[in-house]
Amino acid sequence: MSETMNVPTHLSAAHADFSKALAWVDGEVVPLDQARVPVRDLGLMYADMTYDVVHTWRGGFFRLEDHLDRFLASCAGLRLDPALSREGLRRRLADLVRRSSLQDTLVYFACTRGTAVPGTRDPAKHVAHRFFATVTPLILRGQPDEMRRGLHAMIARGIPRIAADSVNPAWKNTHWGDFHRASFAAKEAGAEMALLLAPDGALAEAPGFNLVALVDGELVSPDANVLPGISCRTMFEIADDLGFPARFRRLMPEELARAEEAFLTATSCGLFPLTRLDGAPIGAGVPGPVTTRLLNTYYDRKNAGWHITAAASIPPPDPG
Amino acid sequence: MSETMNVPTHLSAAHADFSKALAWVDGEVVPLDQARVPVRDLGLMYADMTYDVVHTWRGGFFRLEDHLDRFLASCAGLRLDPALSREGLRRRLADLVRRSSLQDTLVYFACTRGTAVPGTRDPAKHVAHRFFATVTPLILRGQPDEMRRGLHAMIARGIPRIAADSVNPAWKNTHWGDFHRASFAAKEAGAEMALLLAPDGALAEAPGFNLVALVDGELVSPDANVLPGISCRTMFEIADDLGFPARFRRLMPEELARAEEAFLTATSCGLFPLTRLDGAPIGAGVPGPVTTRLLNTYYDRKNAGWHITAAASIPPPDPG
């Protein structure tokens, strides 16, 4: 049970070569620092956009089809049209990764409602939507030392997650005002990470992370008021294979407070252990054996090509 | 009581000269269509920004100090720093208007959290915020024919306004996902404008508009879950001078349904009459005498220089 946590050491900001970062925007590949959108893009003016982030590992996309599924569902829900087929998207993202010559990357891709049409705010009147994408070096949220210590979290009471009937969290969106407010509150209280409750008082998510707790021997993650996280699903698949029970259900703050272990999940880290909640230790106050086992298995599997699609195996975009 | 509504006829999209539109961004004045921000600006990535919109009328700002008050309060609330003093802001906006040579304009100005720092999502770690501004020809929302007919509105039931404890609506923000969802729903139901309820069931606001109803002889506008609208305050000041009672208080949908008159307020129109709600007429189903009187007085007063500060009277920005 004293398994050591294995986290790659080379994926830090110090090692990242941002000179290789690229973007695809308005029909061109450009260096990232030249990639811009009009100040009257409705994604900026009214957060009228969606996005997704997939990562590559040793030159291969991790769960590319799952990210494309979610992006296309978000576009459909928000009535945004990236003007690219699924195959067109796949090729465009792969082309960007190949051109960067980076191996371990974050690939961000977005569709906005396009540039504002003077004299109207009617979203139905904007038909030329804008798709763009960027590729940047993968920097692990959770460098090895941070991962072995785990994050100190706080429940941001009084700042609920935006309600799902106002803005559907399953359609990945940029409405992070509640997250920012909670992050500032957490920082002021001496914590490193805010956890937000849904309006009904159940746990929802952290800024850009899903939450998982090991409660009475079962891994639990909130089943409502959250983005359906692909990293969370990955950890649940691994748990299933390893024989750890895992399910999505309503999770209350009192359960998290008495959890044996807890962690957050996101593309940029796989998982990130939580070791303190509201000033008290979670379980033993260190990343637990189930958390460690999941993370190590995650890296072992990715290294073995699990859910990986080599960028080189994807054809180039159609010309024009 | 049969006063005719007087709305300027020259402020239409057909008359607008967008070739004169300008922007101030990253330390430079550029033509609007060249004004861009990085795709990794946090205003775009996470709606981490505020903005305001003031208009000029015959070369003078209308209620500039009120808009600056609100913008600076939004910046303080959201912990954004435009890196310009109030006087610096005033001069920068006036300079932009003068350079455009436009007389009747919308002046949009914004402050974002700046460009993303790789490897963190902590908003406190972003210290180089981005201020930018644009000046565009004023196009009236509500052209004369539309104003005399009034808008057909629908209450977007089931799509509540984002709760104030999640995202404070008094800090002007770009979280319009609920507005967009409601606008699409209204359009599908054959209405032209969505009105959103607060989570508690009281009326809140329409996308970019405050709501005012004449109920039992008193003008009423919601006092919570809304942006403190400067155009709304303007109409209430005029009402007070004309002897029409007006106050901010909780306003329920049933009251709006039986209102004698109703209108929306925004910088881009002053006010816009509402003449139908959920398919039934509001009052007589045409813009009412109080609405008409307020609008005509609004234009008479602006033409006489009320609350107007000539752009030409504001000194140029400090060099460098």
Side-chain angles (χ1 to χ4, degrees), chain A residues 150-173:
Chain A
L151 283 171
H152 298 180
M154 184 188 94
I155 294 177
R157 294 182 191 277
I159 308 172
R161 184 74 182 105
I162 294 171
D165 51 359
S166 294
V167 180
N168 186 342
W171 302 333
K172 197 167 167 79
N173 65 76

Side-chain angles (χ1 to χ4, degrees), chain B residues 267-291:
Chain B
T267 286
S268 55
C269 61
L271 68 74
F272 205 139
L274 291 180
T275 49
R276 296 184 77 83
L277 178 71
D278 295 336
I282 295 175
V286 294
V290 172
T291 301

Side-chain angles (χ1 to χ4, degrees), chain B residues 242-277:
Chain B
L242 298 177
F244 302 140
R247 72 178 160 121
F248 294 97
R249 67 160 170 86
R250 191 174 155 92
L251 176 66
M252 298 307 292
E254 314 80 78
E255 294 180 288
L256 180 61
R258 65 177 181 79
E260 296 111 63
E261 303 183 25
F263 56 84
L264 301 176
T265 62
T267 286
S268 55
C269 61
L271 68 74
F272 205 139
L274 291 180
T275 49
R276 296 184 77 83
L277 178 71

Side-chain angles (χ1 to χ4, degrees), chain A residues 21-45:
Chain A
L22 296 176
W24 165 262
V25 60
D26 289 341
E28 278 191 298
V29 176
V30 295
L32 178 67
D33 59 10
Q34 293 173 26
R36 295 179 171 249
V37 295
V39 294
R40 286 173 56 80
D41 187 285
L42 293 159
L44 180 70
M45 292 182 76

